[in-house]
Amino acid sequence: MKIVLVGNGGREHALAWKLAQSERVSEIVAVPGRYGMHEVAEYLPLDWNSTAELADIITMQAPDLVVVGSEGPLADGIVDVLTKREILVFGPTQAAARIESSKVFAKDLFARYHIPTAAYGSFTDADKAIAFLDEMQAPYVIKADGLAAGKGVVIAETYEDAVEAIHSMLTGDAFGSAGEKIIIEEFMVGEEASLLAFVDGETVIPMIPAQDHKRLLTDDRGPNTGGMGAFAPAAVVTDAVYEAAVEQILKPTAAALVAEGSPFRGVLYAGLMITADGPKVVEFNCRFGDPETQVLLPLLDSDLADIMEKICTGHIDQVRLRWLNAHAVCVVAASFGYPRKTYRGDRITGLAEAAAQDALVFHAGTRHIDDSYFTDGGRVLDVVAVRPGLAEAKEAAYQALSKIEFDGMQFRTDIADKELLRTQK
């Protein structure tokens, strides 16, 4: 089986690594990919200006299966175009991808189908948005409607900060077209977790729970990011919470999309808040999470290519998920300035030494020049360790990370600490 994988981040490197383990997979081509994936996939560092151009690049590869890793092409309708060309593709249609590409669409869907989430209002007018603040209590959560690479959320501690965030999104250019419409919602008290599921129509097969670390700095300080680390499984998602999330959130959302005429096929990712009233939706993504994928796939003891092909051909009923009895921890190393102004071009050392620690090193933002790796901005590397226990996995991940160096490297030192404290208690 020849697979074309769309994307070039750490998530896509992890996907390529897992897909390459399948005895059925003979070739993986990543578009655009990056050199750091070369051990598990070829890469085509090509640019495209339209969905049709991307579809042409993919079509020329004559793949047996296309796996779309990143949300942008999904939101732009690449699945629709490839399906019309009778190319098998894993991922949702453009209409179904609105569950991520439009927060307003998603929140309105939750309201219509009584899916538990935070109270909210949606706005295109700054004055009306500011007036709505009087109905809420601080802290305020302000979100750009469209895709913003995981950074389109501002948690404003004061009224003044909320007003500034509203103006920067609606009347400024903080998030470009993604911020032309915004959501203001109540701040939910609780702990976040991620629950991903393979979905085809109303059939939902949930994975094990994971937990992401969104804030840039240790102890949940600093701005929101695309994710600075993750671990799995996550004990905060107890059996009762897991069942409630599946039965009250994941399955009803899948059914709602079917009822709306936009059935979902692919990976549906629920960002959850575990509140005193049970799990509620923070947001949905229409694809594998990043960096959740980097801890889930090393624990998946099933053939990912086989799973995806079965789902694409309407045989999700034949899918069975097996998981290792182990723990995985991922620590993200980001470039200086991330997530605001990000820097590039710093030489990276220690990659081979890190891998020698029995760790996985996934390339998220690297460039290869003259036999050396350099930073290419944003989240640069994902260092992952799998061990029988969580404490062992955390220690191994940080031990591997300690071998890696580049100027301005940012990383959190507390990935999985809350979980370790919880399990110790």
Side-chain angles (χ1 to χ4, degrees), residues 82-412:
L82 292 176
T83 300
K84 288 180 180 178
R85 299 186 184 190
E86 298 184 344
I87 295 175
L88 204 63
V89 55
F90 182 84
T93 63
Q94 185 176 38
R98 288 180 297 168
I99 196 74
E100 176 174 4
S101 64
S102 172
K103 292 183 177 63
V104 172
F105 169 82
K107 295 290 283 191
D108 289 348
L109 186 80
F110 303 155
R112 285 196 299 276
Y113 292 89
H114 310 291
I115 296 164
T117 189
Y120 75 101
S122 60
F123 305 92
T124 56
D125 180 85
D127 290 337
K128 291 180 179 178
I130 292 168
F132 184 73
L133 294 176
D134 294 333
E135 302 179 27
M136 311 294 284
Q137 292 183 336
Y140 309 93
V141 181
I142 298 107
K143 298 180 177 181
D145 174 56
L147 299 177
K151 299 181 285 291
V153 179
V154 174
I155 300 174
E157 299 292 341
T158 67
Y159 177 88
E160 290 74 21
D161 288 343
V163 171
E164 181 180 352
I166 289 168
H167 280 299
S168 69
M169 289 187 189
L170 287 178
T171 61
D173 58 356
F175 301 106
S177 61
E180 292 176 354
K181 184 181 291 185
I182 64 170
I183 290 279
I184 301 175
E185 64 181 28
E186 68 170 324
F187 180 84
M188 292 189 287
V189 177
E191 195 165 347
E192 289 193 55
S194 304
L195 186 57
L196 285 68
F198 292 107
V199 174
D200 186 13
E202 295 192 35
T203 303
V204 174
I205 302 179
M207 304 183 206
I208 59 174
Q211 194 164 40
D212 184 14
H213 294 63
K214 282 290 187 186
R215 295 294 187 110
L216 176 68
L217 304 173
T218 298
D219 297 327
D220 289 329
R221 296 175 294 112
N224 270 344
T225 71
M228 292 299 294
F231 63 88
V236 68
V237 183
T238 63
D239 290 346
V241 169
Y242 186 88
E243 182 179 1
V246 172
E247 298 298 328
Q248 299 171 19
I249 295 173
L250 279 169
K251 287 184 178 179
T253 301
L257 288 168
V258 170
E260 294 285 316
S262 307
F264 192 97
R265 173 177 284 174
V267 169
L268 191 58
Y269 159 7
L272 304 173
M273 184 68 75
I274 314 303
T275 75
D277 298 323
K280 296 184 179 181
V281 181
V282 177
E283 63 185 15
F284 266 103
N285 292 328
C286 64
R287 36 69 191 181
F288 276 100
D290 188 347
E292 290 92 345
T293 302
Q294 290 88 308
V295 291
L296 289 172
L297 293 186
L299 296 175
L300 180 64
D301 194 26
S302 301
D303 187 318
L304 181 61
D306 188 62
I307 291 169
M308 289 177 166
E309 185 184 48
K310 281 185 168 65
I311 292 171
C312 288
T313 55
H315 295 100
I316 193 172
D317 59 305
Q318 298 176 15
V319 171
R320 301 290 182 271
L321 302 184
R322 298 184 305 275
W323 300 95
L324 297 177
N325 184 21
H327 297 260
V329 171
C330 169
V331 184
V332 173
S335 62
F336 180 76
Y338 177 77
R340 295 186 175 95
K341 182 179 180 181
T342 186
Y343 288 75
R344 294 174 168 82
D346 295 304
R347 188 170 184 269
I348 305 167
T349 60
L351 291 174
E353 292 80 359
Q357 300 292 310
D358 190 20
L360 298 165
V361 180
F362 296 124
H363 289 244
T366 64
R367 183 179 299 177
H368 190 259
I369 304 172
D370 296 332
D371 296 326
S372 295
Y373 283 101
F374 296 84
T375 63
D376 199 29
R379 292 179 291 176
V380 177
L381 296 163
D382 306 319
V383 179
V384 181
V386 178
R387 297 291 188 274
L390 181 62
E392 299 168 73
K394 178 193 172 183
E395 181 180 1
Y398 278 102
Q399 179 63 27
L401 181 69
S402 71
K403 306 297 181 182
I404 297 172
E405 293 184 4
F406 58 85
D407 287 346
M409 184 169 77
Q410 300 186 91
F411 63 92
R412 287 181 59 151

